[in-house]
Amino acid sequence: MEMIKQLAFILVSSVLVNNYVLSKFLGICPFLGVSKKLDQATGMGVAVIFVMLAATAATWPIYTYILVPQKLEYMQTIVFILVIAALVQFVEIVLKKYIPALHKSLGVYLPLITTNCAVLGVALNNISDGYNFIESMVSSLGCGLGFLLAMVIFSGVRSRVEQADPPESFKGLPITLVSAAIVSLAFFGFAGVAEALFL
């Protein structure tokens, strides 16, 4: 029972409280670039969830069973980037073959998952937080769901902003950044929720 509470705490805090996009400001490039349309935002979010889970499933054992015993912990960043790059190539090949419309709509942002600091940040933070394999996978799922949630919410916000008539100096990127800041502030209201529910 205690283990389930701990996993639930990790999941909820990863999605809401420690949202990688809106609280830690990682993965901003696809967040701003692909959030104009709901279908693109959802597709990117699902792709990031898959890559985060696969990256954690690959990097945690590599770190624990290869790098640590060989005293090569300092190589973790390079190794993790290589693993993530290989996984993104796999996702791109699968999307190109089976869902070409989504592949085309994501465009250059799909390969950018390779350099998406949110994916690398999840893999590195799971290690630095001392999570075991199951906790790392739950954390990755929560971070991916948080990324998807942020993308979907911001996609809705952007559709409303495009219908608005902001002052000339705010049109384009400035109003987008102001909107992102307001959405981010809203997520800070979740601080303490996970602790109150599970601890």
Side-chain angles (χ1 to χ4, degrees):
M1 187 65 183
E2 194 61 35
M3 179 67 168
I4 293 172
K5 281 180 72 174
Q6 176 67 15
L7 294 177
F9 171 74
I10 291 171
L11 183 68
V12 171
S13 63
S14 297
V15 173
L16 298 176
V17 181
N18 299 317
N19 188 291
Y20 267 62
V21 178
L22 299 173
S23 295
K24 296 190 176 186
F25 308 109
L26 297 173
I28 296 295
C29 178
F31 175 69
L32 293 175
V34 191
S35 59
K36 288 182 181 176
K37 295 181 181 172
L38 180 61
D39 58 339
Q40 290 179 357
T42 306
M44 175 61 86
V46 171
V48 167
I49 289 171
F50 175 78
V51 172
M52 280 184 177
L53 285 169
T56 298
T59 56
W60 193 92
I62 288 172
Y63 180 84
T64 304
Y65 299 117
I66 297 174
L67 297 182
V68 171
Q70 300 298 324
K71 298 189 179 358
L72 296 172
E73 296 96 329
Y74 62 91
M75 297 284 291
Q76 70 176 355
T77 304
I78 295 169
V79 172
F80 288 8
I81 289 172
L82 290 173
V83 169
I84 292 166
L87 289 169
V88 170
Q89 289 301 313
F90 173 73
V91 170
E92 188 170 12
I93 290 167
V94 169
L95 285 180
K96 193 171 187 177
K97 183 167 178 67
Y98 296 108
I99 316 173
L102 180 58
H103 179 267
K104 186 177 180 183
S105 70
L106 291 176
V108 72
Y109 293 100
L110 186 59
L112 282 177
I113 295 176
T114 304
T115 57
N116 186 344
C117 49
V119 178
L120 180 61
V122 168
L124 293 173
N125 284 338
N126 286 337
I127 300 294
S128 65
D129 290 342
Y131 289 156
N132 61 33
F133 183 74
I134 294 171
E135 291 171 340
S136 295
M137 292 301 291
V138 170
S139 171
S140 297
L141 176 63
C143 292
L145 290 172
F147 186 88
L148 174 63
L149 179 66
M151 292 288 286
V152 169
I153 288 173
F154 196 56
S155 172
V157 169
R158 285 188 80 169
S159 68
R160 294 295 301 268
V161 166
E162 286 179 10
Q163 296 170 1
D165 187 28
E168 192 64 37
S169 59
F170 276 87
K171 287 186 178 174
L173 185 61
I175 193 68
T176 302
L177 293 175
V178 169
S179 302
I182 292 170
V183 172
S184 177
L185 282 173
F187 266 70
F188 281 107
F190 291 114
V193 169
E195 288 88 349
L197 287 174
F198 300 107
L199 296 181

